[in-house]
Amino acid sequence: MSHPISPIRPHKGRGALSNPEGRFETTRATAEDDGWYREDEVIRPRTEIREELARSVISKNDSPDVGFDRALNPFRGCEHGCIYCYARPSHAYLNLSPGLDFETKLFAKSNLEEILRSEISKRSYVCKPINIGSNTDPYQPIEKEWRLTRAALGLLNACNHPCTIVTKNALIERDLDILAPMAERNLVQVFVSINSLDNKLAAKLEPRASAPHRRMQAVRNLHDAGVPVGVLVAPIIPALNEKDLEGIIEQAGVNGANAIGYTCIRLPHELKQLFREWLDQHYPDRAAHIMSLIQQMNGGKDYDSNFATRMRGQGVFADIIRKRVHVAARKAGLHRAWDTVLDTSQFVPPRVHSPQGQLF
């Protein structure tokens, strides 16, 4: 069971304000303020990284509203600390909190390259594009040291295996030496997630992700290196960051993006509580209004898991956002995200290392 680190208050460099137990816990702990808290006290939960020996690394999904059916995530948890992250509830499966635990207790799949090699070497394997970063960001800060994403890309490049990447970190520029050759063979499409042009808002929403202007520069640098890159305006939060919608799409086009996509905020499971806490702390004057709009986009609920509407919402406000995206994308000359078709015909399975060597 995870215990609250402190009573609810901001933690420097972190998104969540609390550490509530996951939905599978049978006991609950309540944080109490004993009155000894000092205004000048600085609480900085440390990042803990644990190795995980994965049994498999390619996951499959059949969700009709997702633009891919295979995914790879080098890490569990994400140090970016985005308060809106729909992946937070997945930490409950580890008996950890979707709150501060999600962004401070991280797991690195240290054998990722080895298992990936084994999986794509199987005779029954059918090559399809693999999305890297569908759940947690493959270029979050710990990738600098662990280099698991880079290892996976190196293997995919050597095998001519196509992939798509989703990130909100400019660290992806480090791997241009792999991405550019893959792009020449139509093996990669990158998506950079940018949901605001306001650095102050982004620092609260996504405390350890690259600043919005730095991500937009990464879009330009990827384009200049010949790597096809799109922008995902995700998630759109009504009455908070949706004002920047047209500006983001316009700048994406100016900086060489070839595609645009968007999603509206989703609040599954424990995320409802975490997001409400965050709103009450940072935007108390409009918290009720924002939640009212979110509920209007989800049939009167905080979240509706219906595949037909969960990504884009429903109702008048959702329709307005959809039309705004369509008009702005048309002006910027951008096509829809996930429309790009990558080449699977070049794939050559890797050789599995064997002490007996290879006959041919």
Side-chain angles (χ1 to χ4, degrees):
M1 182 187 72
S2 298
H3 296 278
I5 292 177
S6 70
I8 295 177
R9 65 172 70 97
H11 302 275
K12 187 175 178 61
R14 301 297 179 182
L17 277 71
S18 66
N19 218 32
E21 293 82 4
R23 58 196 178 279
F24 303 116
E25 299 290 354
T26 57
T27 59
R28 295 287 182 267
T30 302
E32 296 290 345
D33 192 340
D34 60 7
W36 288 97
Y37 169 70
R38 300 192 309 273
E39 288 298 329
D40 60 347
E41 182 179 1
V42 177
I43 300 173
R44 296 183 179 179
R46 295 182 178 179
T47 299
E48 301 174 17
I49 306 171
R50 310 175 193 180
E51 286 192 63
E52 175 185 343
L53 295 180
R55 295 182 179 179
S56 63
V57 294
I58 299 177
S59 60
K60 298 181 180 180
N61 79 81
D62 56 3
S63 302
D65 57 346
V66 177
F68 51 85
D69 62 3
R70 300 183 185 187
L72 182 153
N73 292 280
F75 308 104
R76 295 183 192 266
C78 186
E79 196 175 4
H80 282 159
C82 305
I83 188 57
Y84 53 72
C85 183
Y86 60 81
R88 282 184 178 272
S90 65
H91 239 45
Y93 291 108
L94 305 174
N95 289 325
L96 293 171
S97 173
L100 286 165
D101 281 351
F102 177 78
E103 49 194 286
T104 60
K105 291 180 170 57
L106 313 179
F107 295 80
K109 300 175 183 177
S110 57
N111 62 340
L112 180 139
E113 181 182 8
E114 174 189 349
I115 301 301
L116 177 60
R117 179 183 296 275
S118 174
E119 290 182 338
I120 65 177
S121 297
K122 295 178 180 178
R123 291 187 177 182
S124 60
Y125 181 76
V126 177
C127 179
K128 290 185 179 181
I130 296 175
N131 177 262
I132 303 177
S134 62
N135 203 47
T136 57
D137 201 305
Y139 286 101
Q140 59 179 283
I142 62 173
E143 166 63 15
K144 292 180 181 179
E145 175 185 354
W146 286 84
R147 301 170 73 86
L148 299 180
T149 301
R150 182 173 176 84
L153 282 176
L155 175 58
L156 296 178
N157 180 38
C159 300
N160 294 328
H161 194 301
C163 69
T164 57
I165 303 171
V166 178
T167 184
K168 57 187 64 179
N169 200 310
L171 178 60
I172 192 173
E173 296 171 348
R174 178 201 63 186
D175 294 338
L176 281 173
D177 60 319
I178 300 176
L179 296 172
M182 292 184 73
E184 291 177 355
R185 306 194 303 280
N186 190 29
L187 296 176
V188 67
Q189 167 78 45
V190 173
F191 295 99
V192 178
S193 176
I194 307 174
N195 61 37
S196 173
L197 297 176
D198 183 340
N199 283 353
K200 291 183 178 180
L201 172 59
K204 298 174 183 177
L205 273 175
E206 314 156 323
R208 298 200 177 192
S210 298
H213 70 274
R214 184 63 185 87
R215 276 177 258 171
M216 197 64 77
Q217 182 60 49
V219 172
R220 166 53 63 183
N221 293 341
L222 286 161
H223 168 76
D224 290 348
V227 179
V229 54
V231 167
L232 299 179
V233 190
I236 295 173
I237 306 172
L240 189 64
N241 67 356
E242 49 92 10
K243 61 183 174 58
D244 289 335
L245 181 56
E246 286 82 3
I248 294 170
I249 296 175
E250 179 182 4
Q251 288 196 28
V254 170
N255 283 282
N258 67 345
I260 199 74
Y262 82 97
T263 63
C264 294
I265 188 169
R266 291 183 280 159
L267 299 176
H269 303 299
E270 299 88 350
L271 195 51
K272 299 178 182 67
Q273 173 189 342
L274 293 166
F275 187 70
R276 284 178 179 274
E277 289 174 356
W278 183 90
L279 275 179
D280 289 340
Q281 175 67 42
H282 295 289
Y283 297 95
D285 58 329
R286 49 179 145 156
H289 179 54
I290 291 172
M291 287 307 306
S292 174
L293 291 173
I294 290 174
Q295 290 170 347
Q296 290 176 44
M297 296 171 67
N298 286 276
K301 299 178 291 185
D302 286 353
Y303 175 62
D304 184 356
S305 61
N306 189 324
F307 284 135
T309 59
R310 66 172 185 165
M311 294 287 195
R312 305 291 176 85
Q314 56 186 294
V316 175
F317 200 84
D319 288 341
I320 292 173
I321 289 177
R322 181 168 55 253
K323 292 175 182 177
R324 288 172 61 187
V325 172
H326 177 74
V327 171
R330 185 178 58 194
K331 289 181 178 179
L334 305 178
H335 64 71
R336 295 186 308 171
W338 311 113
D339 278 355
T340 300
V341 178
L342 301 177
D343 189 358
T344 60
S345 66
Q346 303 174 58
F347 173 65
V348 178
R351 291 186 175 184
V352 178
H353 297 301
S354 169
Q356 295 182 341
Q358 297 283 343
L359 292 177
F360 303 100

